[in-house]
Amino acid sequence: EPQFVFGNGKRITPAGGNFQLREPVIEAANLKSWAIIYHKFDFDTCDRLYQTLRKCSGAYGINVTEPQWIEVESKSSKDWEAALKATIPKMKDPLIIVALIPAQAKKTHYPMIKRFCCNTRPIPSQVVCTKSLMKNEMSVCSKILLQMNAKLGLTLWQTQLPKGLPKNTMIIGADVFHNVGQRDKKRSVIGFCASLDPAFTKFYTQVHFQAKKGDEFMTTIPNLVKKAIQVYFAANKKTYPD
């Protein structure tokens, strides 16, 4: 089985594909500007989340400073969105938004937060349900922290590479998804991903809607591959993949 390599150079062979990461990550985040939004009744839970994230951070080498606290009195998703619009633009280079939401508000608050963080104010986001912190807080917060680190585009670990692999190798994955929502029920969608570095820890991703529903044949794959090669070229000091 291949080994995993961590930030301190330690190598681990996962037993049956399972392992608990307790080693420094390869690229650690410095969370010096970030925000937590929560309902006022959940302040104690939110503070516990922050404190536990700090406790977990040392093992991974991640720096967690105090966030911008965004307390909302209303349970309306519109009021939560208004609070984000009023606070985030005033922050200096915010890295990520963490939203602590009640489980019963997931259907309304989750899509709003993702829409805001993808369209209105593009910024990585991490949504956490209050009930997820009821058991094994350290384990849950460790996973949350690693997700936040990864969403910032930073490498957690890398796998041992096959011998004889050319240095400038690009791995490409593509698939077609058909079970799309009502709005796009007449079109299937391609998911495309290509590696950008020799360790296969950085990626270029893209989606493309097919001309019709149920179409498996990817007629646009040449354009997707061409764009991936251009991004690789720019990311690797004007070197193309072998």
Side-chain angles (χ1 to χ4, degrees):
E1 293 183 353
Q3 294 180 322
F4 285 5
V5 184
F6 298 94
N8 56 1
K10 187 173 181 178
R11 295 172 177 263
I12 294 177
T13 301
N18 299 315
F19 73 99
Q20 289 292 329
L21 174 59
R22 290 290 183 270
E23 305 295 335
V25 298
I26 291 178
E27 294 178 314
N30 181 15
L31 294 176
K32 59 183 180 179
S33 179
W34 60 297
I36 294 183
I37 184 170
Y38 62 97
H39 191 270
K40 65 176 183 178
F41 291 147
D42 294 322
F43 172 76
D44 289 342
T45 305
C46 191
D47 183 61
R48 200 165 70 247
L49 169 64
Y50 162 60
Q51 296 297 343
T52 310
L53 288 175
R54 290 196 64 184
K55 289 179 183 178
C56 299
S57 63
Y60 309 123
I62 299 172
N63 181 41
V64 179
T65 63
E66 187 166 355
Q68 173 73 49
W69 302 90
I70 307 176
E71 185 173 277
V72 187
E73 296 186 1
S74 169
K75 294 184 178 180
S76 168
S77 62
K78 291 183 178 179
D79 292 332
W80 280 55
E81 185 173 12
L84 289 172
K85 288 180 178 178
T87 306
I88 301 303
K90 298 178 182 178
M91 295 179 63
K92 184 179 180 180
D93 301 323
L95 296 171
I96 192 168
I97 296 172
V98 176
L100 181 66
I101 64 174
Q104 61 270 24
K106 187 174 181 179
K107 289 184 178 181
T108 55
H109 289 47
Y110 183 89
M112 179 280 296
I113 292 164
K114 292 302 180 182
R115 184 172 60 250
F116 176 86
C117 293
C118 289
N119 301 332
T120 306
R121 180 63 167 82
I123 183 174
S125 61
Q126 181 71 41
V127 180
V128 182
C129 284
T130 52
K131 70 174 185 179
S132 66
L133 299 174
M134 293 180 180
K135 294 181 179 180
N136 301 320
E137 279 189 16
M138 287 293 289
S139 177
V140 170
C141 287
S142 293
K143 291 180 174 64
I144 291 172
L145 191 62
L146 292 175
Q147 287 184 40
M148 292 167 63
N149 198 91
K151 288 179 178 181
L152 293 174
L154 301 173
T155 304
L156 299 179
W157 58 77
Q158 68 183 64
T159 56
Q160 180 183 358
L161 303 182
K163 293 181 179 180
L165 196 68
K167 178 182 177 182
N168 298 303
T169 296
M170 173 187 282
I171 297 177
I172 293 176
D175 197 9
V176 184
F177 182 68
H178 301 294
N179 189 21
V180 292
Q182 290 297 315
R183 182 182 301 176
D184 300 304
K185 62 183 179 180
K186 294 183 179 180
R187 296 187 296 172
S188 298
V189 63
I190 295 173
F192 178 92
C193 180
S195 63
L196 295 177
D197 67 317
F200 309 125
T201 63
K202 308 291 183 183
F203 300 91
Y204 166 77
T205 61
Q206 189 58 267
V207 296
H208 180 81
F209 284 98
Q210 297 280 67
K212 58 184 179 179
K213 183 179 180 181
D215 189 0
E216 275 284 335
F217 192 67
M218 303 182 197
T219 57
T220 58
I221 201 73
N223 293 332
L224 294 170
V225 173
K226 179 180 178 180
K227 180 61 179 178
I229 291 175
Q230 290 172 340
V231 174
Y232 187 102
F233 182 79
N236 289 276
K237 300 179 180 179
K238 297 184 178 181
T239 300
Y240 286 113
D242 296 327

